[in-house]
Each structure stands twice: as structure tokens, then as C-alpha cells.
């Protein structure tokens, strides 16, 4: 489902249709945010795994399934784990790639892309920052700042040479770098590693400059990304959280509780009519 809205300002909107999938409490909460969101010159949005949940991609803190049910994602997305046992970590990522490769953006991704493009025509800036590595925001048409890298890219664990060519996701054998023979690994930021500098600086700037910061589908447990909401708050931003199970974060001013795929299309439909 894509957001239901009329493309021409003033055409009106069938409000019941726009809100049809949205919980009642969320409908009221959305209405309270519309004027603030319309007035904001700059908005910063941070997304996490919850926005891709309705595309069929498990979140990080969901219990893992199948072969990996006895592992915790945090223990695998980890530089120390790769150094100790590269085969297991590589196999987990190959499995995740198989899991994600046929997944498509859901209405939340599409609605954000639509809002971002529309905002540009209204002189409003929306910076979209993601912790996700699935690239579904780009597939939906958004411009996005990636804090945690890309699932589909590889790099050498020693010389950091990046590899763009496809690998066979069904093959769990470790690959070696052609230049230095180091093990090839996903080009993803792991626990214990720093974020890409340019992307992090862009995210910090967006958080500092925004009037409204919206955190979507993230447990806000993993820093430094989770600190962006605090940074925005320190610089005077109003903080909104959209989450199926809200986090109780002390910096949040307003919560829209529910599924991203229901809340965001309803919100955007109201905003861009
Ligand atoms: P988490 O798995 O920690 O949190 C997912 C959040 O999404 C939870 O707060 C859920 O309540 C919420 N959620 C689930 N389904 C939802 C839905 N349909 N609509 C809205 N919200 C929903 O994922 P992240 O916060 O993204 O890092 O995790 C942060 C980082 O930790 C990841 O980028 C990854 C991970 O380890 C690395 O790999 C470095």
C-alpha cells in the first residue's frame, strides 16, 4: 500500500482512507504533530531495523530463527567475533543476505521517500539517516545517510580494499582479498568499530540543525547513532518517536505508537495534501 493522498494541494483527502490502517490513538497523535511538521524548516529522521520489519526482515533484537536461533545478533555483528571465528560471522551474513535479497520496501519506506521529495519542493529539508544496511530506503527513492554501511558490499578485513562484485550468497566458504590475502568481510560497521566519518559528520549536522527529530523503528540502544536524538534535543529540536513498542527514552517529546508501515503513510498523507 502506498500513501493515499491527492497530488494537488487543496484537492482534499479522504481522511478515513488515509488513516484506515492506523490505531485510533496514533491518529490523534498524528493530528497533533501536523502543524509543527509543516512549519519545520529542517527535519532529521533516524531509522532502525523496525522500519524494515514489515518488509519481512527481522529486527536485531528479535529472537533469531532457524540455524541461528542460539545466537544473538550483537554477538555476531562484532569485530571480536570475526577475529575469533570468521567463518561463523561470514556464514551469518551470507544467510542474512539470502534472507534480505528478495525483500522490498514497504509503505513506510515509500511514504518517507515521497515526503522527502515533496518537502524539497516546499523549501523544507529532510535529512534521512539510517542504521539499516538493507538499502530499502534507496530502493524506495530516498536520499539517505548510511551510518552502519551496506549489506551488499564487501571489504578486506586487513587492507580495507572494497569489493563491489557479487558473491554467491549460498556459499559460506571464506574469501581472500586479491591484494593482501586477508579475509573478505561485509562492509558493515560492527560493534567495536568507528562509524564512517563523512556520514557521521553529516548526521551530526542534520541533528544539530533540525527543528524536529523523528526516530523510527529503533530501540535507541546502540551508540553513537542513539545519541543523535540527544544532540538534536540539546540544540532545541522537538523529538518524536514512531515505534511499535515505544522505548521510554527520556528525550522523546511525543510518541506515535504503532507499526511504521501504518503510521508513516497516514502521517505523510496528511502532511502533503
Ligand atoms: P533493534 O532490533 O534494536 O530495534 C528495533 C526496534 O524496532 C524496536 O524498538 C522495535 O520495537 C521496533 N519495531 C519493530 N517492528 C516495528 C514496526 N513494524 N514499526 C515500528 N517499529 C518497529 O534495531 P536497531 O535499533 O536498528 O548495528 O538496532 C541498532 C543497531 O544494532 C543495528 O544497526 C545493528 C544492531 O546491532 C550493527 O550491526 C552495528
Amino acid at each position: 500500500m502506498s500513501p493515499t493522498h491527492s497530488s494537488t494541494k487543496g484537492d482534499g483527502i479522504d481522511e478515513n482512507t488515509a488513516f484506515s490502517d492506523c490505531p485510533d490513538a496514533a491518529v490523534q497523535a498524528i493530528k497533533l504533530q501536523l502543524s509543527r511538521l509543516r512549519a519545520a524548516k529542517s527535519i532529521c529522521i533516524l531509522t532502525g531495523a523496525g522500519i524494515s520489519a514489515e518488509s519481512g526482515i527481522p529486527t536485531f533484537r528479535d529472537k533469531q530463527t532457524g540455524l541461528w536461533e542460539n545466537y544473538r545478533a550483537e554477538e555476531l555483528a562484532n569485530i571480536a567475533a570475526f577475529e575469533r571465528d570468521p567463518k561463523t560471522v561470514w556464514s551469518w551474513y551470507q544467510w542474512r543476505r539470502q534472507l534480505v535479497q528478495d525483500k522490498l520496501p514497504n509503505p513506510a519506506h515509500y511514504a518517507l521517500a515521497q515526503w522527502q521529495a515533496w518537502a524539497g519542493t516546499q523549501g523544507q529539508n529532510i535529512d534521512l539517516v539510517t542504521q539499516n544496511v538493507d538499502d530499502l530506503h534507496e530502493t524506495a527513492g530516498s536520499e539517505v545517510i548510511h551510518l552502519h554501511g551496506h549489506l551488499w558490499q564487501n571489504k578486506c578485513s586487513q587492507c580495507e580494499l572494497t569489493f563491489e562484485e557479487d558473491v554467491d550468497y549460498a556459499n559460506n566458504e571464506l574469501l581472500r582479498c586479491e591484494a593482501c590475502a586477508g579475509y573478505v568481510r561485509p562492509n558493515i560497521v560492527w560493534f567495536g568499530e568507528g562509524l564512517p566519518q563523512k556520514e557521521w559528520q553529516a548526521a551530526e549536522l542534520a541533528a544539530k540543525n533540525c527543528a524536529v527529530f523523528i526516530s523510527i523503528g529503533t530501540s535507541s540502544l546502540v551508540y553513537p547513532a542513539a545519541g543523535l536524538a540527544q544532540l538534536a534535543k540539546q540544540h532545541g529540536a522537538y523529538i518524536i518517536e514512531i515505534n511499535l513498542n515505544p522505548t521510554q527514552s527520556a528525550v522523546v517529546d511525543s510518541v506515535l505508537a504503532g507499526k511504521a508501515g501504518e503510521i508513516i503513510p497516514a502521517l505523510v498523507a496528511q502532511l502533503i495534501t
Side-chain angles (χ1 to χ4, degrees):
M1 188 196 83
S2 61
T4 46
H5 71 95
S6 61
S7 56
T8 313
K9 195 170 169 59
D11 271 359
I13 181 170
D14 177 349
E15 187 169 296
N16 294 326
T17 308
F19 283 136
S20 62
D21 295 327
C22 225
D24 284 349
V27 170
Q28 298 315 318
I30 286 171
K31 287 180 175 170
L32 290 176
Q33 299 307 327
L34 294 176
S35 57
R36 185 190 313 280
L37 289 168
R38 286 195 183 108
K41 268 271 174 233
S42 193
I43 295 172
C44 179
I45 300 175
L46 174 69
T47 63
I51 198 166
S52 297
E54 290 156 77
S55 294
I57 302 174
T59 69
F60 281 92
R61 280 152 193 92
D62 280 342
K63 191 167 165 27
Q64 299 213 85
T65 53
L67 284 177
W68 299 98
E69 65 186 344
N70 294 323
Y71 291 82
R72 287 174 59 225
E74 302 92 302
E75 290 165 357
L76 294 161
N78 192 308
I79 182 65
F82 187 78
E83 284 167 1
R84 196 171 50 243
D85 183 359
K87 181 87 188 275
T88 298
V89 174
W90 177 253
S91 302
W92 183 61
Y93 275 102
Q94 291 288 81
W95 173 78
R96 281 190 73 83
R97 286 165 167 167
Q98 283 184 298
L99 184 84
V100 174
Q101 65 182 339
D102 63 346
K103 300 300 184 285
L104 298 170
N106 66 55
H109 297 102
Y110 284 117
L112 286 184
Q114 196 172 13
W115 186 19
Q116 195 181 37
W118 179 83
T121 68
Q122 309 294 308
Q124 185 182 50
N125 178 56
I126 297 184
D127 288 300
L128 177 58
V129 181
T130 192
Q131 299 166 88
N132 297 344
V133 296
D134 55 32
D135 292 354
L136 292 184
H137 283 304
E138 290 93 319
T139 308
S142 279
E143 276 183 42
V144 59
I145 299 167
H146 275 273
L147 294 182
H148 289 170
H150 300 269
L151 183 60
W152 311 113
Q153 287 177 9
N154 287 305
K155 69 176 181 182
C156 173
S157 57
Q158 283 180 20
C159 73
E160 306 232 326
L161 189 69
T162 52
F163 300 86
E164 295 290 344
E165 74 268 23
D166 286 344
V167 296
D168 174 8
Y169 304 141
N171 183 355
N172 288 337
E173 286 309 309
L174 286 168
L175 303 176
R176 294 277 192 175
C177 171
E178 288 162 14
C180 77
Y183 286 128
V184 170
R185 55 163 280 185
N187 192 7
I188 287 176
V189 180
W190 284 336
F191 288 100
E193 297 182 319
L195 266 48
Q197 209 178 4
K198 193 162 81 57
E199 285 79 358
W200 177 244
Q201 282 172 354
E204 276 192 321
L205 195 65
K208 282 180 187 167
N209 288 339
C210 68
V212 181
F213 183 96
I214 311 177
S215 169
I216 303 174
T218 174
S219 56
S220 298
L221 292 172
V222 177
Y223 284 79
L228 289 172
Q230 287 152 8
L231 185 65
K233 182 98 176 176
Q234 282 158 13
H235 286 77
Y238 186 87
I239 316 292
I240 298 174
E241 177 176 285
I242 299 175
N243 199 308
L244 189 55
N245 300 299
T247 61
Q248 318 295 328
S249 159
V251 296
V252 171
D253 294 298
S254 208
V255 172
L256 305 181
K259 291 184 177 177
E262 295 172 0
I263 305 257
I264 300 168
L267 175 70
V268 173
Q270 292 295 303
L271 280 171
I272 71 179
T273 52

